[in-house]
Amino acid sequence: MNALLPVLLVLSPLAPALISFALPARLAPWRNAANIGFALVKLALVVLLLQGVAGGAEYEWRAEFVPGLYLLLRVDALALLFVTLSTFLWLVTTVYAIAYFKDGPNLPRFFGFFNLCVMAATGIALSGSLITFFIFYELLTLSTWPLVVHKGDEKSMAAGRVYLGYTLAGSAALLLGIVWLESGTGPVKFDDATDLTAHSGDTLRLIFILMVGGLGAKAALIPLHGWLPQAMAAPAPVSALLHAVAVVKAGAFGIVRVIYDVYGIDIVAALGLGVPLAMLASATILYGSIRAVAQTDIKKRLAFSTVSQVSYIVLGASLVGPFAIIGGLVHLVHQGLMKITLFFGAGALAERLGITRIDQLDGVGRRMPITMAAFSVAALGMIGVPPVAGFVSKWYLGLGGLQSGEPWVIAVLAGSSLLNALYFLPLLYRAWLRPADALPSTDEMSADRPWMLILPAAVTAAAALGAGLLAGLSFSPLGWAILIGEDIYLP
Amino acid sequence: MTDPLLLLLPLSLALPLVLAGLSVLPGWRAHSLAVLPLAPLPALAAALLAPRGAEMVFPDLLLGMRLGLDPVGVYFLGGAALLWTLSGVYAARYMTGKDRPGGFALFWNLVLAGNLVVFLATDAVTFYVAFAQVSLMAYPLITHDRSARALKAGTVYIALAVVGETALLLGLMLGAAEAGNSLMIADIRSAIAGSDARGAILALLIAGFGIKAGLIPLHVWLPVAHPAAPTPASAVLSGAIVKAGIFGLIAFLPFAAGVTGWGLALAGLGFSGAVLAALYGTAQTNPKAVLAYSTVSQMGLLMGALGIALIAEAPPGPALFAAALYALHHGLAKGALFLGVGVMQTSAGAWRKAGLALLALAALSVAGLPLTGGALAKIALKGAAGGLAELIITASALTTALVLARFLAVLPKAEPDARPPLAMLVPMGALAFAALLLPAILFTGAAGEDLAYALSLSNLFAGVWPLALAALAVIIVLRLKPRAPALPEGDLLIPATALGQAVWRGLAHAAHRAGTSLSALPRRLVPKGSFLVPLSALMGRVETRLGTAPAIALLAALLVIALVWSGLAPD
């Protein structure tokens, strides 16, 4: 059973993927039922695993796919943090996507790749070795491309090309790094310390730069972030998943694995790599925020906000000390909850009122109160307003910066908070305080209330609020991140 | 077994939150105003009955929420709860028939919950959460009218509030790190005293709390926000919310550690604000703006006294109790004066005379007329401060009396035969009487002196002479009828905005010159004049010029370097 669970978990999205590909478009209700059903099954599996891992159980599965090369799936606390997030958000995004697309074209293809993408993200989380990680990482690159270009128009295709350009180049760098590293160390597993003595310090530094550079292309570290704002051409549910869990998080998660489970944070620090990476992450945080300020398109602004916020995770991972890594890891979850809420909101605005630009937002709070309330909670959370979850991340990252002797980190956090306020508060101001003259009346709006488009945002916003309010619970994202942090620093 | 009365502490938080939640339900919205006065009652009961010094821990909430009531906090909690209750009665009547009662009740209750928890939190995170709640959720109250003026006031307010919150967060993070990552306020306070980063932490905390409490030159939001908010909201803003800043200073500043530099700075800024704001307030024409300046002045006095206590090396007990008593009295009296603005709008004839008499009494109490509650609060504060500060506090009664005389002079007129609704008149009267009488009950406990001490000849004289001078000045003004100057609300805000805009423009110009074409920019969607726009456009251009290829080329170059390196590497 303990070997089976991780496999089932990875394969659980494969079934709805195949069903979606196979079923003709007219059987859409069956396809939708299969998608939601398997998402629920996966959630149940995750709950089972959470209980097991909290109780100290070990789950591992391996298969030799080339002589000497193992496919290794392993469930540790860090893997579960990512899997739980992706499973929960997959479920709500599925519900949302069904309402969003209604009966648009090419949906079998869409839901097929959508599920493959989720399978890849799950595989990335559960990978127990570098090579397994790389395989799923590539699967993710390939399975997200059809989603990015789903609309098939000129803009989407261009965005798709840019996306592939960045991510394939990144993958090449990552692969070279992996091969080079393993040429000296043998296959690298995440659960035991790698013996790096075969390589010189300079070689290790270069390999680190290759791997983090390759992963950084997905995590949108500057100057490798250019694809992300362009990928906004994708439909809203895709953007939501891309920004919250799938692609950017896979990159950030990979960086955490490289720092903590491939090199080890002490070696990263000793090689003098941690602080420069933290500085690069900080530069990305500020750069993304400054770029967000000048965007007039809602999704574009959110995209640059993602560039900025994902680097919080990298920042937390690159600083030595338990508080920093706890802050980084908990932000992996918190940013996901908040950002997906924002994209759900942006998608609902575009779908129901045709609003895509910020200057069209006047008065939408009156017409779409639940969506905009959820959007507001998430935006405040991004700024770091307590008690929404973003504040908890900031608190731990700030203390982590001080703990590792890098006090400038708190200035970066403060600057980011101020910039976030500068680009999010005007949206809330327009939505709630400006008159709704240009919008259809409340009665017209209430005639058609697509609940499946409204509720997902409310659920994720409530989760973001709950993650902050109940941060002290041992099963909260923070509680889980502390568990991981203690595991690293208090063996 | 915990004392069951300790449960009043979480209940103080829970009831307003429940009422806030209810007020968004469509079926309940219409009733949400009527229950406003109930929300602060558990806190009022807690101030009277809950055991002091005990603590309740909720490990699952936030980062481990801890609530407790210390002897100084009781004054703040009790005063705030009383003010919120009576203002709630007033608001239920005042807001009836106005737009969006549900929204008003929602944010009223959220601010209330935060305001109460500020006085109850014993860990820094809970404190910060509550403080931020007060700051940000007050914005919808200030802008409730949606008038152009209210929106402008709201923008000034929110900008300062966000900066204040950020400064406070930085200060608390640094403090918590110095305290070995402890979250307890007591630990942080003692860690600050001996910290290497003491100067930076104090600067951040004083800025963060000073913005809320109206420390000049960070006070500029008060005179624009108070007049813009609905009257009951102005009352709690001035009476209870600014006290959150004062309480923050009391809770976090390391007293008795002989902090000279920042102590002097706080005392200097506080006392100069006490005099300057009152003088500036006499040139206002809006009664609520006059009161706002009076609040800046009174809080300046209080912060000046705290600055003196920060310099001192003696245990701060007396100074903090005196400050708490002073804050309590000011909250009640100022609440009565603000509510009076609305009452006077609907009072004519005998009602008007009676109302004016009551307001004059409350105003004289704030100015420290002997035998009033305000005199007792002032004597307590003076006793703790001593020296030059004592003289300043005594003399400030003169400017206070002048600014409040101005307030009485500019009160709105009503239609003939108008009579005020009881639900507005009674809360005003109750607050005025509470301000006059409550300090007499609390004086011995707070000042450690007999009431008889307050009646000593020197204290009576110190209370009377500034008022006599003020009366003289008022008589001269009434006789000569000089044209009163009318200065704009927000004083420093105006040059500061102009300067800020000039600086932004300069930076924008510089960024423009650095190679940006502004014409292509949809600027109007971004905060006006922000230099970030051209800066960001510049970044955008660089990004587009670089395009996709170079980023990929960068990775490719890395690959080549790596391959060459691996060929050359000795291993």
Side-chain angles (χ1 to χ4, degrees):
Chain A
M1 187 64 186
N2 283 9
L4 197 59
L5 265 179
V7 181
L8 279 180
L9 200 60
V10 173
L11 291 183
S12 59
L14 190 59
L18 296 176
I19 294 172
S20 299
F21 280 129
L23 280 184
R26 68 191 155 77
L27 294 179
W30 290 95
R31 184 184 64 225
N32 295 342
N35 272 286
I36 294 181
F38 276 96
L40 285 171
V41 167
K42 192 176 170 207
L43 197 58
L45 288 175
V46 167
V47 172
L48 215 62
L49 280 173
L50 277 173
Q51 284 177 338
V53 168
E58 302 224 337
Y59 300 89
E60 195 176 293
W61 173 88
R62 65 174 69 210
E64 195 173 30
F65 71 103
V66 184
L69 269 185
Y70 284 92
L71 210 55
L72 176 65
L73 294 180
R74 212 177 142 271
V75 182
D76 58 13
L78 177 58
L80 262 187
L81 185 83
F82 192 28
V83 164
T84 311
L85 175 77
S86 66
T87 307
F88 170 60
L89 294 188
W90 177 37
L91 176 63
V92 286
T93 310
T94 303
V95 172
Y96 183 86
I98 290 170
Y100 183 88
F101 288 112
K102 291 190 278 275
D103 42 11
N106 300 325
L107 289 186
R109 183 186 78 197
F110 175 85
F111 280 102
F113 282 110
F114 186 70
N115 281 302
L116 282 183
C117 166
V118 172
M119 182 176 107
T122 314
I124 286 173
L126 297 189
S127 297
S129 66
L130 256 181
I131 201 67
T132 320
F133 178 88
F134 182 76
I135 290 166
F136 283 110
Y137 193 77
E138 273 318 283
L139 180 61
L140 182 70
T141 309
L142 300 177
S143 62
T144 34
W145 181 78
L147 301 179
V148 172
V149 301
H150 178 74
K151 287 181 196 157
D153 54 10
E154 189 61 35
K155 222 173 142 193
S156 305
M157 297 309 283
R161 277 194 298 277
V162 174
Y163 172 69
L164 278 188
Y166 275 91
T167 47
L168 288 180
S171 297
L174 177 61
L175 182 63
L176 180 66
I178 292 175
V179 171
W180 192 359
L181 181 73
E182 296 198 344
S183 70
T185 61
V188 173
K189 283 167 67 196
F190 293 149
D191 59 337
D192 42 38
T194 320
D195 178 17
L196 297 167
T197 46
H199 292 296
S200 71
D202 281 342
T203 312
L204 283 176
R205 283 189 194 100
L206 193 55
I207 294 174
F208 185 84
I209 293 171
L210 275 175
M211 296 215 290
V212 169
L215 294 162
K218 272 211 178 66
L221 278 176
I222 55 169
L224 305 172
H225 65 285
W227 64 273
L228 187 60
Q230 293 206 39
M232 283 299 85
V238 175
S239 309
L241 209 61
L242 235 64
H243 284 252
V245 269
V247 177
V248 291
K249 288 296 171 59
F253 182 81
I255 291 175
V256 173
R257 280 287 194 211
V258 167
I259 293 175
Y260 272 87
D261 295 331
V262 176
Y263 276 65
I265 182 73
D266 294 333
I267 294 173
V268 170
L271 290 171
L273 295 165
V275 174
L277 182 56
M279 286 177 172
L280 180 64
S282 301
T284 309
I285 290 172
L286 296 176
Y287 178 88
S289 297
I290 294 173
R291 293 283 278 130
V293 172
Q295 304 305 316
T296 55
D297 182 279
I298 299 171
K299 281 179 82 183
K300 266 246 161 97
R301 190 172 279 197
L302 294 181
F304 277 108
S305 162
T306 303
V307 171
S308 163
Q309 295 271 342
V310 168
S311 275
Y312 277 48
I313 304 166
V314 180
L315 175 64
S318 52
L319 295 170
V320 184
F323 274 73
I325 187 65
I326 290 170
L329 289 178
V330 80
H331 201 60
L332 186 95
V333 178
H334 289 164
Q335 190 269 353
L337 294 173
M338 297 185 293
K339 190 44 71 69
I340 208 164
T341 310
L342 293 170
F343 272 106
F344 283 163
L349 286 169
E351 194 59 18
R352 296 183 65 199
L353 290 170
I355 291 176
T356 57
R357 291 201 322 275
I358 290 158
D359 64 347
Q360 298 169 319
L361 278 173
D362 289 5
V364 286
R366 319 240 135 263
R367 298 295 183 265
M368 298 171 55
I370 297 177
T371 304
M372 287 318 290
F375 189 94
S376 303
V377 166
L380 291 175
M382 284 290 180
I383 300 170
V385 173
V388 190
F391 159 71
V392 177
S393 316
K394 264 190 192 146
W395 181 263
Y396 271 88
L397 281 173
L399 289 186
L402 295 172
Q403 192 174 42
S404 66
E406 308 293 338
W408 51 269
V409 168
I410 62 168
V412 171
L413 295 176
S416 168
S417 277
L418 291 175
L419 287 167
N420 270 271
L422 195 59
Y423 67 76
F424 273 127
L425 291 181
L427 270 67
L428 305 193
Y429 171 79
R430 281 183 182 274
W432 294 108
L433 295 180
R434 288 287 187 90
D437 297 334
L439 300 177
S441 74
T442 313
D443 294 338
E444 281 173 66
M445 292 293 297
S446 53
D448 174 35
R449 286 207 183 282
W451 286 110
M452 284 166 72
L453 214 52
I454 296 170
L455 277 184
V459 168
T460 49
L465 192 57
L469 274 178
L470 300 171
L473 279 175
S474 56
F475 268 83
S476 73
L478 178 67
W480 203 259
I482 290 175
L483 189 77
I484 300 169
E486 283 176 348
D487 201 39
I488 296 167
Y489 284 95
L490 304 167
Chain B
M1 173 74 196
T2 43
D3 188 334
L5 286 175
L6 206 53
L7 289 172
L8 285 169
L9 303 186
L11 200 58
S12 307
L13 164 65
L15 185 61
L17 288 184
V18 168
L19 292 179
L22 285 175
S23 58
V24 297
L25 300 179
W28 179 265
R29 258 177 229 165
H31 312 290
S32 54
L33 286 177
V35 294
L36 285 186
L38 300 181
L41 292 181
L44 197 55
L48 295 171
L49 304 171
R52 317 303 195 231
E55 199 175 52
M56 255 187 124
V57 186
F58 303 86
D60 294 343
L61 294 179
L62 302 175
L63 303 183
M65 180 159 115
R66 290 162 178 270
L67 299 179
L69 196 52
D70 69 38
V72 175
V74 170
Y75 290 82
F76 283 89
L77 184 73
L82 187 57
L83 174 62
W84 276 95
T85 308
L86 292 167
S87 301
V89 174
Y90 186 97
R93 176 69 183 74
Y94 184 88
M95 297 306 292
T96 302
K98 296 202 165 60
D99 287 343
R100 296 177 298 277
F104 184 83
L106 168 67
F107 293 109
W108 177 277
N109 279 311
L110 288 178
V111 175
L112 167 61
N115 198 189
L116 298 173
V117 173
V118 163
F119 306 136
L120 290 173
T122 56
D123 73 282
V125 167
T126 306
F127 178 91
Y128 179 73
V129 171
F131 200 86
Q133 179 104 334
V134 173
S135 289
L136 298 175
M137 296 302 133
Y139 173 80
L141 287 184
I142 291 167
T143 55
H144 187 79
D145 285 348
R146 303 284 199 276
S147 61
R149 170 194 188 180
L151 294 180
K152 191 164 165 257
T155 305
V156 174
Y157 173 77
I158 198 75
L160 277 169
V162 168
V163 172
E165 291 308 306
T166 309
L168 183 55
L169 180 62
L170 291 182
L172 293 183
M173 277 180 178
L174 285 169
E178 291 294 325
N181 296 323
S182 165
L183 297 182
M184 302 298 295
I185 292 176
D187 294 347
I188 292 176
R189 185 175 47 220
S190 39
I192 293 174
S195 154
D196 292 338
R198 187 168 84 176
I201 299 174
L202 286 179
L204 289 164
L205 291 181
I206 289 176
F209 292 129
I211 283 181
K212 179 108 303 133
L215 182 69
I216 64 162
L218 307 170
H219 67 285
V220 290
W221 67 271
L222 276 111
V224 291
H226 283 35
T231 298
S234 317
V236 291
L237 262 177
S238 215
I241 294 174
V242 296
K243 304 297 184 296
I246 300 289
F247 186 76
L249 291 172
I250 290 180
F252 283 94
L253 291 189
F255 294 103
V259 184
T260 319
W262 280 105
L264 274 176
L266 186 59
L269 289 177
F271 285 134
S272 42
V275 176
L276 295 177
L279 288 177
Y280 196 89
T282 56
Q284 296 296 309
T285 49
N286 182 322
K288 286 209 241 167
V290 179
L291 288 184
Y293 276 107
S294 158
T295 297
V296 174
S297 151
Q298 292 293 306
M299 293 303 100
L301 213 53
L302 202 41
M303 285 186 275
L306 289 177
I308 300 292
L310 198 55
I311 300 169
E313 291 184 20
L320 301 189
F321 276 110
L325 183 68
Y326 198 86
L328 172 99
H329 168 265
H330 176 259
L332 299 173
K334 194 50 72 64
L337 293 176
F338 266 107
L339 296 188
V341 177
V343 170
M344 284 297 133
Q345 275 164 348
T346 56
S347 302
W351 288 103
R352 186 172 182 81
K353 285 190 185 119
L356 271 177
L358 205 57
L359 289 177
L361 212 52
L364 284 169
S365 183
V366 175
L369 179 75
L371 306 181
T372 62
L376 297 175
K378 218 161 238 183
I379 289 165
L381 199 66
K382 279 192 280 196
L388 180 64
E390 186 174 347
L391 185 65
I392 296 174
I393 296 171
T394 303
S396 76
L398 169 61
T399 47
T400 304
L402 289 178
V403 72
L404 292 177
R406 174 70 176 170
F407 164 71
L408 294 174
V410 295
L411 274 170
K413 305 261 185 306
E415 306 277 307
D417 303 330
R419 55 172 292 187
L422 273 186
M424 283 165 61
L425 187 62
V426 170
M428 179 192 95
L431 281 173
F433 280 113
L436 289 169
L437 302 176
L438 265 184
I441 302 170
L442 302 171
F443 182 72
T444 313
E449 299 273 5
D450 256 0
L451 271 181
Y453 168 72
L455 297 175
S456 69
L457 212 55
S458 64
N459 275 329
L460 288 178
F461 178 70
V464 169
W465 71 257
L467 294 186
L469 279 182
L472 196 63
V474 169
I475 289 169
I476 292 172
V477 166
L478 288 178
R479 274 288 165 81
L480 297 181
K481 294 196 195 325
R483 173 174 299 180
L487 297 177
E489 291 160 13
D491 56 282
L492 290 177
L493 186 62
I494 296 138
T497 322
L499 180 68
Q501 275 167 354
V503 171
W504 284 148
R505 269 197 300 272
L507 285 169
H509 189 61
H512 178 77
R513 289 256 299 266
T516 314
S517 141
L518 270 174
S519 55
L521 266 181
R523 320 182 46 192
R524 50 204 163 82
L525 302 176
V526 189
K528 257 183 234 144
S530 160
F531 79 97
L532 292 175
V533 178
L535 180 60
S536 176
L538 179 63
M539 290 175 173
R541 273 164 61 105
V542 171
E543 206 169 292
T544 339
R545 289 258 174 85
L546 281 175
T548 322
I552 297 170
L554 179 74
L555 279 174
L558 249 176
L559 284 173
V560 172
I561 295 170
L563 284 170
V564 171
W565 187 287
S566 66
L568 298 176
D571 52 5

